[in-house]
C-alpha cells in the first residue's frame, strides 16, 4: 500500500497495488477484485472508502481513502487503552459492522491491525480482502461466483476467529461479532483472549 496523489481531484489517497508477475496467481487476483466488489457496496463513516478500482500496465490497484493515524495494533504496543476509549471505539466498530452486515458483507478478518484511526481519532475498518458475501445478496451471478468461499476453506487470523470459522463451517454476522469481542478484550486488557502467542495468518484452504 502506497501513499499517492490523485491529480484529478487534488487529494492524497492510499493506493493498494497488486503487481503483475510470477508471484501473483489467479487466486490473489480474484481476492483483490473481490475486495473492490465488496467495498463498492459499502459507504459508512467507519469503513474506509473505496474511490476507484482499475488496472494499468497489467497492474491492478485500488485507490482508497487515506487513513493517516495508527492502527489499533500500534496503539496496543503502548498498553491497554483507557475504558472510555474502548467504549468509544467499540461503538464505532459496531456501527461499521452493522452497515456491512446490512449489505450481506461478513468481514472475516477483524483484528487490531485492520482497525485504524484517522488523525482525529475516528475508527475505520480496513481490508475486506477475505470478506464473504452472504448467499442471495449479490446482484449478479458473476459477482456471486467471485465472492463465494469453497466448503472447508479457512481464512482469517486464528487469534480472532470464531470456532465455526476455524472449523471451515459457514459464517454469518455472529462470526464478526466474535472477532469484535476479541478485539475489544485486547484493547481493554492488552492481552488476547486465548493468550499472547502469535500464530500465522491462514490464507489457504486446510
Amino acid at each position: 500500500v502506497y501513499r499517492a496523489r490523485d491529480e484529478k481531484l487534488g487529494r492524497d489517497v492510499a493506493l493498494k497495488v497488486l503487481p503483475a508477475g510470477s508471484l501473483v496467481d489467479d487466486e490473489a487476483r480474484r481476492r483483490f477484485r473481490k475486495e473492490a466488489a465488496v467495498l463498492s457496496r459499502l459507504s459508512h463513516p467507519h469503513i474506509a472508502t473505496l474511490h476507484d478500482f482499475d488496472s494499468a500496465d497489467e497492474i491492478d490497484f485500488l485507490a482508497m481513502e487515506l487513513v493517516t493515524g495508527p492502527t489499533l495494533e500500534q496503539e496496543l504496543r503502548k498498553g491497554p487503552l483507557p475504558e472510555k476509549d474502548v467504549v468509544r471505539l467499540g461503538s464505532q466498530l459496531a456501527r461499521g459492522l452493522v452497515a456491512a452486515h446490512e449489505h450481506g458483507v461478513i468481514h472475516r478478518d477483524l483484528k487490531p491491525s485492520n482497525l485504524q484511526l484517522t488523525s482525529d481519532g475516528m475508527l475505520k475498518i480496513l481490508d475486506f480482502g477475505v470478506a464473504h458475501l452472504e448467499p442471495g445478496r449479490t446482484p449478479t451471478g458473476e459477482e456471486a461466483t467471485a465472492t463465494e468461499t469453497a466448503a472447508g476453506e479457512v481464512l482469517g487470523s486464528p487469534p480472532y476467529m470464531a470456532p465455526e470459522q476455524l472449523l471451515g463451517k459457514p459464517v454469518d454476522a455472529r462470526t464478526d461479532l466474535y472477532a469484535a469481542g476479541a478485539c475489544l478484550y485486547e484493547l481493554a486488557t492488552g492481552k488476547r483472549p486465548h493468550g499472547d502467542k502469535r500464530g500465522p495468518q491462514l490464507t489457504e484452504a486446510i
Side-chain angles (χ1 to χ4, degrees), residues 15-172:
L15 199 66
K16 189 171 183 178
V17 177
L18 186 70
S22 59
L23 294 180
V24 179
D25 57 19
D26 290 340
E27 177 65 15
R29 291 190 177 92
R30 183 185 74 84
R31 294 192 192 286
F32 198 73
R33 293 189 172 108
K34 182 183 78 171
E35 182 174 7
V38 167
L39 285 172
S40 70
R41 302 163 65 92
L42 304 176
S43 178
H44 191 271
H46 299 303
I47 298 174
T49 302
L50 174 69
H51 296 316
D52 194 13
F53 170 67
D54 207 345
S55 298
D57 299 325
E58 299 184 358
I59 297 176
D60 294 337
F61 64 87
L62 299 174
M64 302 181 63
E65 173 185 3
L66 179 65
V67 184
T68 57
T71 65
L72 294 188
E73 182 178 55
Q74 292 170 324
E75 288 290 280
L76 279 166
R77 293 172 188 168
K78 308 171 188 174
L81 276 61
E83 182 179 341
K84 62 181 180 61
D85 289 339
V86 176
V87 171
R88 176 177 60 83
L89 296 173
S91 297
Q92 294 180 8
L93 174 57
R95 289 195 289 270
L97 287 178
V98 167
H101 295 162
E102 286 177 346
H103 287 82
V105 176
I106 311 302
H107 189 285
R108 291 202 300 184
D109 196 22
L110 288 173
K111 55 186 176 182
S113 61
N114 283 340
L115 302 173
Q116 190 166 357
L117 302 178
T118 63
S119 57
D120 58 357
M122 179 183 292
L123 180 140
K124 295 279 186 175
I125 304 173
L126 308 178
D127 199 349
F128 284 77
V130 298
H132 170 73
L133 279 177
E134 293 182 325
R137 303 297 294 270
T138 53
T140 68
E142 180 180 356
E143 185 179 333
T145 300
T147 57
E148 64 188 8
T149 302
E153 189 175 28
V154 179
L155 297 169
S157 300
Y160 308 95
M161 290 167 68
E164 70 275 9
Q165 189 177 3
L166 283 164
L167 294 172
K169 295 182 178 180
V171 300
D172 57 29

